[in-house]
Amino acid sequence: QAECTWCEEHYFFDPSSGTCEVCPEHATCPGADLMPLPKRGYWTSYDFSTDHAHRIYKCDKGMCAGVGDADRTCWSTSNYSKCDANALQCTSGAEGVLYGTCKRLEFTYNRFRDQCVKCTSSQDFGGIVVIIAAGLYALYQAIITVSQRNSWIQEVRENIKSLMCFDVAKAKIIYVSVSIIAAVPTTVDIVFPEPMKTLVWVYSFLQFDMWGGVGADCWIDSFDYLKRAYF
């Protein structure tokens, strides 16, 4: 008798209506009394009742891990919303709606990895960046000092300057335009066809995130998203 209430594969049991419903898009439905399991890159509001279990949303960042086979027991009608939602659906350090944020002062978002990384590793990287920048500045000052004493080095410097002359205003316009184009796919949820998809991916590497690179939100509690975007 109990098996008569279970649903077949590709269907899920809707407790509100007592019927088996077709599995929603971007989810897997093993059947029985299990709710839809979001696939990688998608999210559902697990902390709420089963009334919202069929609503599957696309994640803006790559921190929605999807539901594995080992976690299926947490998706039954009797266990739903009783397990740790973060452990079930997200990658390490992610939290919030659509797992779009990282745990404050413990993790920071790394745009190139599209993941939350531990603050310790980000701070170590930030220290390396500062050391490299200081070394490059010291080298630049040494070259200037030496060039002032050697006329041929001074001539080489002038030749390099002449080769690097360009319109700064136009360069800024091009850079801003490229940054806007690179942000389009994640902002308006558009997937470009090839070769535009690859071109936009290349453009994304020009979006330099200095504060994210040094992990400023790891050691400054008030350094939120707005301050990161402003500075």
Side-chain angles (χ1 to χ4, degrees):
Q1 181 65 31
E3 292 185 359
C4 294
T5 62
W6 288 359
C7 298
E8 296 179 353
E9 189 177 1
H10 307 306
Y11 291 83
F12 73 96
F13 181 71
D14 185 356
S16 60
S17 63
T19 58
C20 294
E21 302 294 338
V22 177
C23 191
E25 192 177 4
H26 307 303
T28 56
C29 295
D33 65 338
L34 299 178
M35 296 292 102
L37 282 60
K39 295 180 180 179
R40 185 173 184 83
Y42 293 87
W43 173 91
T44 188
S45 53
Y46 179 83
D47 290 331
F48 298 98
S49 69
T50 54
D51 294 339
H52 303 278
H54 64 285
R55 297 177 179 174
I56 310 297
Y57 303 92
K58 187 179 186 303
C59 299
D60 295 327
K61 298 177 180 178
M63 297 184 289
C64 294
V67 180
D69 293 339
D71 303 318
R72 288 186 175 184
T73 55
C74 292
W75 295 84
S76 65
T77 53
S78 58
N79 291 330
Y80 197 81
S81 76
K82 293 183 179 179
C83 299
D84 183 358
N86 290 344
L88 289 176
Q89 297 191 80
C90 72
T91 58
S92 179
E95 63 180 2
V97 177
L98 300 177
Y99 296 118
T101 58
C102 302
K103 294 179 181 178
R104 296 296 303 276
L105 302 181
E106 296 181 37
F107 291 82
T108 183
Y109 177 67
N110 186 298
R111 191 176 62 82
F112 293 103
R113 296 185 188 178
D114 200 19
Q115 295 287 330
C116 294
V117 297
K118 288 186 176 181
C119 282
T120 50
S121 62
S122 181
Q123 288 171 335
D124 292 342
F125 175 76
I128 294 173
V129 170
V130 171
I131 293 173
I132 292 175
L136 291 175
Y137 179 76
L139 177 63
Y140 175 74
Q141 292 297 328
I143 292 174
I144 291 178
T145 302
V146 173
S147 65
Q148 291 174 347
R149 300 174 183 175
N150 297 273
S151 58
W152 68 271
I153 296 180
Q154 183 70 24
E155 184 178 348
V156 170
R157 282 186 61 210
E158 294 300 325
N159 290 334
I160 293 175
K161 278 185 178 181
S162 62
L163 292 174
M164 295 181 63
C165 286
F166 58 92
D167 192 325
V168 176
K170 289 182 179 178
K172 288 182 177 179
I173 292 173
I174 293 174
Y175 176 78
V176 171
S177 300
V178 167
S179 299
I180 293 173
I181 294 173
V184 167
T186 56
T187 304
V188 296
D189 194 20
I190 290 178
V191 178
F192 289 113
E194 294 291 354
M196 187 64 182
K197 182 179 179 181
T198 301
L199 183 63
V200 169
W201 178 78
V202 172
Y203 283 168
S204 67
F205 286 91
L206 298 177
Q207 295 177 311
F208 181 67
D209 183 7
M210 180 181 68
W211 298 114
V214 300
D217 49 351
C218 285
W219 41 276
I220 303 177
D221 187 34
S222 60
F223 199 84
D224 55 15
Y225 174 80
L226 291 177
K227 291 185 177 66
R228 185 169 175 169
Y230 179 77
F231 291 106

